[in-house]
Amino acid sequence: MEHKGYLFNLGLIEYKKAWDLQLELWTKRVEGRCPDLLLFLEHPHVLTLGRRGNRTHLLASSETLAKLNIPIFHIERGGDVTYHGPGQLVVYPILDLKEYGWKLVRYIEQLEEVIIRTLSDFGVTGRRDSLNRGVWVDRQKIASVGVAVKRWVSLHGLALNYATDLTYFD
């Protein structure tokens, strides 16, 4: 099976700008006006709340987040709270999943597998956690997976910490 698409390296891009771009490209993919796409990028400091997300799950107060200039976005992906920031590779696949014959759970497992194999290439052993999505090294989460699929086209995706300032998780 051969699938063609495009990879885009967007560099450091504000979350809202990337979210708007995803939605625009998602629409084009649904309408068949573009092929599958992978967006590679980093975000300035930002917190996103997925469908299960709740501001009460944040450790920092609204005042602290405002002082640190960290915006919060409530978005359509699955999951709870996710931090994004410099030193974290974010990948947003915009794929027509019907063309791959995948079920949603299989798609998420494949995203986790890509992360595990990538880590392995760097001598790092990643693993899944049976209770939580994402990829873990020892007891520390190294990558998050949070997707939305509408009309069988995906958006949002994964975030892999490689040189992230982990104090923002405090």
Side-chain angles (χ1 to χ4, degrees):
M1 179 184 308
E2 183 176 316
H3 293 278
K4 294 184 179 181
Y6 294 99
L7 306 172
F8 293 97
N9 180 352
L10 302 178
L12 184 67
I13 182 172
E14 295 286 336
Y15 187 84
K16 177 72 167 106
K17 187 174 180 180
W19 189 19
D20 289 344
L21 178 62
Q22 277 188 85
L23 294 173
E24 178 184 339
L25 295 171
W26 174 87
T27 298
K28 289 180 180 181
R29 185 67 189 110
V30 166
E31 294 171 350
R33 294 189 290 139
C34 73
D36 287 339
L37 305 167
L38 292 175
L39 308 179
F40 290 82
L41 55 107
E42 291 183 50
H43 290 300
H45 304 291
V46 64
L47 292 170
T48 62
L49 302 176
R51 287 187 303 269
R52 291 185 296 126
N54 188 316
R55 288 182 74 104
T56 62
H57 297 167
L58 298 176
L59 300 177
S61 68
S62 296
E63 294 79 21
T64 299
L65 294 174
K67 183 178 176 182
L68 294 171
N69 196 28
I70 300 176
I72 301 171
F73 291 90
H74 203 124
I75 57 176
E76 63 273 281
R77 68 156 169 78
D80 194 5
V81 178
T82 300
Y83 163 81
H84 294 296
Q88 182 185 69
L89 173 65
V90 178
V91 181
Y92 295 136
I94 301 173
L95 308 174
D96 186 338
L97 298 180
K98 294 183 308 263
E99 293 185 9
Y100 297 92
W102 293 343
K103 294 183 178 179
L104 182 56
V105 171
R106 172 91 170 123
Y107 172 60
I108 293 169
E109 289 170 349
Q110 289 297 319
L111 291 176
E112 291 171 336
E113 186 64 23
V114 165
I115 298 164
I116 290 168
R117 290 183 184 193
T118 299
L119 291 173
S120 178
D121 287 345
F122 291 92
V124 177
T125 302
R127 64 170 181 78
R128 291 181 179 87
D129 179 308
S130 62
L131 300 177
N132 300 294
R133 284 293 176 195
V135 176
W136 304 76
V137 173
D138 298 321
R139 293 185 172 175
Q140 301 296 314
K141 190 171 193 177
I142 194 167
S144 297
V145 175
V147 301
V149 175
K150 299 187 288 185
R151 297 177 62 187
W152 285 105
V153 174
S154 66
L155 64 159
H156 300 289
L158 63 92
L160 173 62
N161 297 318
Y162 69 90
T164 312
D165 180 354
L166 298 178
T167 60
Y168 285 89
F169 288 92
D170 294 339

mmCIF file of all heavy atoms in Angstrom, residues 24-36 94 96 98-99 151 153:
data_model
loop_
_atom_site.group_PDB
_atom_site.id
_atom_site.type_symbol
_atom_site.label_atom_id
_atom_site.label_comp_id
_atom_site.label_asym_id
_atom_site.label_seq_id
_atom_site.Cartn_x
_atom_site.Cartn_y
_atom_site.Cartn_z
ATOM 1 N N GLU A 24 -7.666 24.293 9.232
ATOM 2 C CA GLU A 24 -7.742 24.608 7.802
ATOM 3 C C GLU A 24 -7.295 23.412 6.957
ATOM 4 O O GLU A 24 -7.962 23.036 5.986
ATOM 5 C CB GLU A 24 -6.866 25.822 7.493
ATOM 6 C CG GLU A 24 -6.842 26.208 6.034
ATOM 7 C CD GLU A 24 -5.885 27.368 5.767
ATOM 8 O OE1 GLU A 24 -5.543 28.113 6.695
ATOM 9 O OE2 GLU A 24 -5.482 27.505 4.595
ATOM 10 N N LEU A 25 -6.185 22.798 7.341
ATOM 11 C CA LEU A 25 -5.678 21.643 6.581
ATOM 12 C C LEU A 25 -6.574 20.429 6.760
ATOM 13 O O LEU A 25 -6.752 19.631 5.830
ATOM 14 C CB LEU A 25 -4.236 21.339 6.993
ATOM 15 C CG LEU A 25 -3.227 22.436 6.640
ATOM 16 C CD1 LEU A 25 -1.878 22.135 7.273
ATOM 17 C CD2 LEU A 25 -3.110 22.599 5.127
ATOM 18 N N TRP A 26 -7.153 20.269 7.951
ATOM 19 C CA TRP A 26 -8.097 19.171 8.189
ATOM 20 C C TRP A 26 -9.270 19.290 7.217
ATOM 21 O O TRP A 26 -9.675 18.303 6.599
ATOM 22 C CB TRP A 26 -8.578 19.201 9.638
ATOM 23 C CG TRP A 26 -9.650 18.192 9.913
ATOM 24 C CD1 TRP A 26 -9.472 16.893 10.279
ATOM 25 C CD2 TRP A 26 -11.057 18.393 9.805
ATOM 26 N NE1 TRP A 26 -10.694 16.276 10.415
ATOM 27 C CE2 TRP A 26 -11.685 17.172 10.136
ATOM 28 C CE3 TRP A 26 -11.863 19.481 9.468
ATOM 29 C CZ2 TRP A 26 -13.072 17.014 10.134
ATOM 30 C CZ3 TRP A 26 -13.241 19.319 9.463
ATOM 31 C CH2 TRP A 26 -13.828 18.103 9.800
ATOM 32 N N THR A 27 -9.806 20.496 7.080
ATOM 33 C CA THR A 27 -10.925 20.714 6.156
ATOM 34 C C THR A 27 -10.527 20.340 4.733
ATOM 35 O O THR A 27 -11.273 19.651 4.025
ATOM 36 C CB THR A 27 -11.384 22.189 6.200
ATOM 37 O OG1 THR A 27 -11.842 22.471 7.536
ATOM 38 C CG2 THR A 27 -12.503 22.458 5.210
ATOM 39 N N LYS A 28 -9.354 20.765 4.324
ATOM 40 C CA LYS A 28 -8.881 20.434 2.969
ATOM 41 C C LYS A 28 -8.704 18.930 2.794
ATOM 42 O O LYS A 28 -9.013 18.383 1.734
ATOM 43 C CB LYS A 28 -7.584 21.177 2.660
ATOM 44 C CG LYS A 28 -7.804 22.663 2.468
ATOM 45 C CD LYS A 28 -6.511 23.389 2.162
ATOM 46 C CE LYS A 28 -6.814 24.866 1.974
ATOM 47 N NZ LYS A 28 -5.621 25.633 1.656
ATOM 48 N N ARG A 29 -8.227 18.251 3.845
ATOM 49 C CA ARG A 29 -8.036 16.787 3.746
ATOM 50 C C ARG A 29 -9.384 16.095 3.671
ATOM 51 O O ARG A 29 -9.577 15.155 2.888
ATOM 52 C CB ARG A 29 -7.216 16.280 4.935
ATOM 53 C CG ARG A 29 -6.870 14.806 4.831
ATOM 54 C CD ARG A 29 -5.904 14.578 3.673
ATOM 55 N NE ARG A 29 -5.703 13.171 3.411
ATOM 56 C CZ ARG A 29 -6.160 12.549 2.323
ATOM 57 N NH1 ARG A 29 -6.840 13.196 1.398
ATOM 58 N NH2 ARG A 29 -5.925 11.267 2.145
ATOM 59 N N VAL A 30 -10.349 16.512 4.478
ATOM 60 C CA VAL A 30 -11.692 15.928 4.446
ATOM 61 C C VAL A 30 -12.307 16.076 3.061
ATOM 62 O O VAL A 30 -12.940 15.161 2.543
ATOM 63 C CB VAL A 30 -12.605 16.584 5.525
ATOM 64 C CG1 VAL A 30 -14.067 16.247 5.286
ATOM 65 C CG2 VAL A 30 -12.182 16.137 6.920
ATOM 66 N N GLU A 31 -12.100 17.241 2.454
ATOM 67 C CA GLU A 31 -12.659 17.520 1.133
ATOM 68 C C GLU A 31 -11.826 16.922 -0.005
ATOM 69 O O GLU A 31 -12.185 17.060 -1.172
ATOM 70 C CB GLU A 31 -12.773 19.043 0.940
ATOM 71 C CG GLU A 31 -13.783 19.669 1.891
ATOM 72 C CD GLU A 31 -13.745 21.188 1.876
ATOM 73 O OE1 GLU A 31 -12.810 21.786 1.268
ATOM 74 O OE2 GLU A 31 -14.650 21.788 2.488
ATOM 75 N N GLY A 32 -10.720 16.252 0.322
ATOM 76 C CA GLY A 32 -9.874 15.634 -0.698
ATOM 77 C C GLY A 32 -9.046 16.629 -1.494
ATOM 78 O O GLY A 32 -8.544 16.299 -2.565
ATOM 79 N N ARG A 33 -8.856 17.836 -0.945
ATOM 80 C CA ARG A 33 -8.092 18.860 -1.657
ATOM 81 C C ARG A 33 -6.615 18.855 -1.306
ATOM 82 O O ARG A 33 -5.849 19.653 -1.843
ATOM 83 C CB ARG A 33 -8.682 20.250 -1.385
ATOM 84 C CG ARG A 33 -10.090 20.410 -1.964
ATOM 85 C CD ARG A 33 -10.595 21.839 -1.886
ATOM 86 N NE ARG A 33 -10.865 22.223 -0.506
ATOM 87 C CZ ARG A 33 -10.559 23.411 0.023
ATOM 88 N NH1 ARG A 33 -9.983 24.336 -0.702
ATOM 89 N NH2 ARG A 33 -10.864 23.686 1.271
ATOM 90 N N CYS A 34 -6.186 17.955 -0.421
ATOM 91 C CA CYS A 34 -4.761 17.801 -0.127
ATOM 92 C C CYS A 34 -4.526 16.365 0.340
ATOM 93 O O CYS A 34 -5.447 15.690 0.785
ATOM 94 C CB CYS A 34 -4.278 18.820 0.909
ATOM 95 S SG CYS A 34 -4.813 18.520 2.597
ATOM 96 N N PRO A 35 -3.281 15.894 0.240
ATOM 97 C CA PRO A 35 -2.958 14.541 0.701
ATOM 98 C C PRO A 35 -2.741 14.539 2.216
ATOM 99 O O PRO A 35 -2.877 15.561 2.885
ATOM 100 C CB PRO A 35 -1.656 14.238 -0.040
ATOM 101 C CG PRO A 35 -0.990 15.570 -0.161
ATOM 102 C CD PRO A 35 -2.131 16.554 -0.371
ATOM 103 N N ASP A 36 -2.346 13.383 2.734
ATOM 104 C CA ASP A 36 -1.993 13.283 4.149
ATOM 105 C C ASP A 36 -0.832 14.226 4.452
ATOM 106 O O ASP A 36 0.040 14.459 3.601
ATOM 107 C CB ASP A 36 -1.579 11.853 4.497
ATOM 108 C CG ASP A 36 -2.759 10.893 4.528
ATOM 109 O OD1 ASP A 36 -3.904 11.346 4.673
ATOM 110 O OD2 ASP A 36 -2.511 9.678 4.427
ATOM 111 N N ILE A 94 -2.250 14.809 9.977
ATOM 112 C CA ILE A 94 -3.567 15.068 9.401
ATOM 113 C C ILE A 94 -3.750 13.986 8.336
ATOM 114 O O ILE A 94 -3.301 14.121 7.195
ATOM 115 C CB ILE A 94 -3.664 16.490 8.829
ATOM 116 C CG1 ILE A 94 -3.392 17.490 9.958
ATOM 117 C CG2 ILE A 94 -5.040 16.730 8.208
ATOM 118 C CD1 ILE A 94 -3.282 18.923 9.528
ATOM 119 N N ASP A 96 -6.165 10.756 6.559
ATOM 120 C CA ASP A 96 -7.466 10.150 6.300
ATOM 121 C C ASP A 96 -7.354 8.693 6.733
ATOM 122 O O ASP A 96 -6.796 7.864 6.023
ATOM 123 C CB ASP A 96 -7.831 10.251 4.824
ATOM 124 C CG ASP A 96 -9.238 9.761 4.545
ATOM 125 O OD1 ASP A 96 -9.779 8.977 5.367
ATOM 126 O OD2 ASP A 96 -9.793 10.153 3.513
ATOM 127 N N LYS A 98 -9.462 6.347 6.996
ATOM 128 C CA LYS A 98 -10.189 5.345 6.195
ATOM 129 C C LYS A 98 -9.252 4.676 5.199
ATOM 130 O O LYS A 98 -9.388 3.496 4.916
ATOM 131 C CB LYS A 98 -11.346 5.998 5.433
ATOM 132 C CG LYS A 98 -12.458 6.554 6.279
ATOM 133 C CD LYS A 98 -13.599 7.106 5.429
ATOM 134 C CE LYS A 98 -13.160 8.062 4.386
ATOM 135 N NZ LYS A 98 -13.231 9.469 4.659
ATOM 136 N N GLU A 99 -8.317 5.443 4.681
ATOM 137 C CA GLU A 99 -7.393 4.909 3.679
ATOM 138 C C GLU A 99 -6.429 3.887 4.259
ATOM 139 O O GLU A 99 -5.801 3.145 3.524
ATOM 140 C CB GLU A 99 -6.622 6.050 3.017
ATOM 141 C CG GLU A 99 -7.508 6.955 2.183
ATOM 142 C CD GLU A 99 -6.732 8.016 1.435
ATOM 143 O OE1 GLU A 99 -5.480 7.961 1.410
ATOM 144 O OE2 GLU A 99 -7.390 8.902 0.863
ATOM 145 N N ARG A 151 -14.840 12.804 11.034
ATOM 146 C CA ARG A 151 -15.042 12.372 9.646
ATOM 147 C C ARG A 151 -13.867 11.515 9.178
ATOM 148 O O ARG A 151 -13.456 11.564 8.043
ATOM 149 C CB ARG A 151 -15.304 13.576 8.753
ATOM 150 C CG ARG A 151 -16.600 14.301 9.162
ATOM 151 C CD ARG A 151 -16.909 15.519 8.402
ATOM 152 N NE ARG A 151 -17.116 15.230 6.992
ATOM 153 C CZ ARG A 151 -17.275 16.168 6.076
ATOM 154 N NH1 ARG A 151 -17.244 17.438 6.420
ATOM 155 N NH2 ARG A 151 -17.460 15.845 4.829
ATOM 156 N N VAL A 153 -10.771 11.791 9.688
ATOM 157 C CA VAL A 153 -9.506 12.485 9.447
ATOM 158 C C VAL A 153 -8.987 12.978 10.798
ATOM 159 O O VAL A 153 -9.727 13.588 11.571
ATOM 160 C CB VAL A 153 -9.672 13.645 8.445
ATOM 161 C CG1 VAL A 153 -8.384 14.444 8.310
ATOM 162 C CG2 VAL A 153 -10.105 13.102 7.080
#
